Amino acid sequence: TTAAPSDDGSYYILNGEKLWISNSKEAGVFLVFANADHSQKHRGITAFMVDANTEGVHVGNTEKKLGLRASSTCPVVFDNVKVDAVDVLGEVGLGYKYCINILNEGRIGIASQQIGIAK
C-alpha cells in the first residue's frame, strides 16, 4: 500500500489493498501501514489512522474460514483515499518499527496459548 504526500504535506493519498483483515466489517477505524517513501524501503513505512467511512475505503467479502468465525475477515481496498497529515500515527517512517513491536507483544500471547494446548 502506498501513501503519496501532497505537495504541501497537509495530506496523503493511500492506494492499495490489505488482505485477511480481522474485524474489518465491524471496524470504524483502520490502522493502516503504508509506504510514504519507497526510496527508504521499510524505513518509509508510516502508520495512518483511517476512518472506515472515508471515501475510497472498500471492505470486501468475508472470507470463508475453517474456524474463528465470530469475527469477520475481509480484504480492505484503499482507492485514492485522502488522509490528513494529522492522522499519521507517531512519526513518518517509523511504521515498520511500530508494527514489529505490536507483533512481538502478540507473539507472547500466542506462545502461551500453544503451551496450554500442548498440555
Side-chain angles (χ1 to χ4, degrees):
T1 302
T2 61
S6 64
D7 291 337
D8 65 359
S10 65
Y11 64 89
Y12 291 81
I13 300 294
L14 272 58
N15 281 291
E17 182 177 22
K18 303 294 187 180
L19 302 174
W20 293 91
I21 305 304
S22 298
N23 297 312
S24 48
K25 287 268 189 211
E26 298 80 21
V29 176
F30 292 107
L31 172 58
V32 180
F33 292 93
N35 202 323
D37 185 352
H38 283 283
S39 70
Q40 295 295 313
K41 300 183 181 177
H42 71 281
R43 289 185 180 93
I45 296 173
T46 302
F48 297 89
M49 298 300 294
V50 180
D51 187 293
N53 295 315
T54 304
E55 186 177 343
V57 175
H58 307 286
V59 177
N61 294 328
T62 303
E63 297 290 343
K64 292 178 175 57
K65 302 180 289 186
L66 294 176
L68 299 173
R69 291 186 225 167
S71 66
S72 64
T73 301
C74 311
V76 180
V77 176
F78 302 94
D79 184 18
N80 291 317
V81 175
K82 183 179 178 183
V83 180
D84 292 331
V86 297
D87 292 324
V88 169
L89 186 63
E91 296 180 40
V92 173
L94 291 182
Y96 181 80
K97 182 177 180 179
Y98 302 147
C99 186
I100 292 301
N101 287 336
I102 292 166
L103 288 172
N104 284 340
E105 289 179 16
R107 289 179 177 139
I108 294 168
I110 298 296
S112 298
Q113 289 174 341
Q114 297 307 309
I115 290 170
I117 291 169
K119 288 184 176 185

